[in-house]
Amino acid sequence: MIPTFTLSLLALSGTALALPTTPSADGCTRAVLKAHTETYLAAQAAGNPSLLLAIASPNLTYYEDGALRDPKSKLSTLTTPLPVSHNRSILDTTQCATFTELISAPATTNNATHRVIGTQLRFDPSTLALVKVESLVTQQGDWAFNATQTLRYAAAEDGQWGEIAVAARDSRAVIQAAADAYLDLFNNASVVVPWGTPCHRLEGGWYTGNGSATDSCNVGVPSGVSITHRRYVIDEVLGVVDALVAFATRPDSHEFRVEGGKIRFVVSLWRELIT
Ligand SMILES: *[C@@H]1O[C@H](CO)[C@@H](O)[C@H](O)[C@H]1NC(C)=O
Ligand SMILES: *[C@@H]1O[C@H](CO)[C@@H](O)[C@H](O)[C@H]1NC(C)=O
Ligand SMILES: *[C@@H]1O[C@H](CO)[C@@H](O)[C@H](O)[C@H]1NC(C)=O
Ligand SMILES: *[C@@H]1O[C@H](CO)[C@@H](O)[C@H](O)[C@H]1NC(C)=O
Ligand SMILES: *[C@@H]1O[C@H](CO)[C@@H](O)[C@H](O)[C@H]1NC(C)=O
Ligand SMILES: *[C@@H]1O[C@H](CO)[C@@H](O)[C@H](O)[C@H]1NC(C)=O
């Protein structure tokens, strides 16, 4: 006779073993989304789009810098191997979507090959197949681009973008409202932005603040710029939202870390050169 506890273990391992063949059994979980971001990173590191296409729907649409592209073509950044110097992802189980920032800036390589990429992935919530990729690929010549600097500052912020305690988490609406206030400020100086303190802005290779407790992100933004076509990915666990937007006519990504409703970190990527 098999003891009860062994039966429970068998039942548990049965469930675990069934997962890979029925990936949608638990729906769009953080574990599934995390695995998908790792697949994306592996594909980009190898310069092998097929690794990503293996999790994609036949109906996948793939955009770079706002332009529809064939992910397997020479125009696709996915076909160029890029060593991953730093990466950070957020996971949105509500929309079944992710955002990944990838910095490729090995010290030993020519900086013309350096890239800082922001990529949103969107999945079909029932099949978990990848249905849409939108990437912003910044490079030498783009505004304030200096991937060596970006890498240095991004790495220094590691450990400050961790999970927020359950009781302290903001709602999706609050996190998005903080991002919207900041983005609205570019076209309306009266908007009240929930500035947190300290706060840092990393824009290309440009960084605000000097490490003091009073560092502020309220150091001015350009005016008269309408920021439209906002596509959000929101992670309440990390308190982070990314918005891919049209910054006037240019493709742009703005990512915000929000704590207690207030903005603590801003990361922006902006394409100046469109190839
Ligand atoms: C692809 O799109 C077509 C047309 O919208 C749809 O009929 C089909 O079910 C889609 N296939 C998948 C795998 O989503
Ligand atoms: C992405 O970053 C994590 C640490 O946050 C690291 O464990 C992982 O290896 C990185 N992935 C790649 C492809 O470099
Ligand atoms: C890239 O390297 C060239 C040649 O060393 C240098 O002139 C240029 O300023 C560098 N660009 C950046 C963004 O570091
Ligand atoms: C880019 O950043 C590196 C590291 O801080 C610095 O040495 C280099 O001068 C910067 N390049 C430019 C063009 O500002
Ligand atoms: C500008 O922002 C203020 C404060 O939120 C708001 O009352 C006003 O209606 C906004 N103006 C426009 C033109 O949207
Ligand atoms: C940091 O910057 C603030 C504001 O610009 C300035 O008042 C402060 O003295 C600086 N602190 C350090 C340590 O440089």
Side-chain angles (χ1 to χ4, degrees), residues 210 212 214-215:
N210 55 18
S212 71
T214 56
D215 281 345

Side-chain angles (χ1 to χ4, degrees), residues 49-243:
S50 301
L51 297 178
L52 188 61
L53 295 175
I55 61 163
S57 159
N59 289 346
L60 172 73
T61 51
Y62 178 88
Y63 294 86
E64 277 188 30
D65 304 330
L68 189 62
R69 291 194 182 157
D70 175 350
K72 290 189 282 193
S73 71
K74 269 198 293 187
L75 279 177
S76 159
T77 300
L78 275 179
T79 58
T80 302
L82 291 179
V84 179
S85 309
H86 190 265
N87 75 89
R88 190 161 59 213
S89 292
I90 65 171
L91 313 171
D92 182 337
T93 55
T94 301
Q95 294 190 83
C96 206
T98 63
F99 173 74
T100 298
E101 187 202 55
L102 184 168
I103 302 172
S104 182
T108 52
T109 59
N110 184 322
N111 64 24
T113 66
H114 291 180
R115 297 287 182 274
V116 180
I117 302 176
T119 296
Q120 292 187 353
L121 304 178
R122 293 185 189 271
F123 302 91
D124 180 317
S126 52
T127 64
L128 305 179
L130 178 64
V131 290
K132 189 173 194 182
V133 178
E134 286 193 276
S135 263
L136 197 63
V137 182
T138 62
Q139 54 195 277
Q140 174 123 323
D142 280 325
W143 183 77
F145 186 83
N146 185 334
T148 308
Q149 289 278 66
T150 310
L151 174 58
R152 193 177 123 206
Y153 290 122
E157 288 180 0
D158 278 347
Q160 297 179 73
W161 286 67
E163 291 194 3
I164 291 177
V166 177
R169 282 178 198 162
D170 289 313
S171 67
R172 297 173 65 79
V174 164
I175 295 167
Q176 184 182 321
D180 279 331
Y182 185 98
L183 298 172
D184 288 345
L185 183 64
F186 288 72
N187 208 24
N188 181 349
S190 308
V191 169
V192 178
V193 178
W195 302 113
T197 314
C199 180
H200 297 280
R201 280 162 65 179
L202 176 54
E203 312 198 353
W206 177 73
Y207 200 70
T208 62
N210 55 18
S212 71
T214 56
D215 281 345
S216 172
C217 288
N218 190 7
V219 294
V221 299
S223 62
V225 182
S226 184
I227 298 181
T228 59
H229 195 36
R230 302 177 187 178
R231 292 91 78 204
Y232 307 94
V233 172
I234 301 172
D235 184 335
E236 306 97 299
V237 173
L238 298 178
V240 179
V241 51
D242 175 71

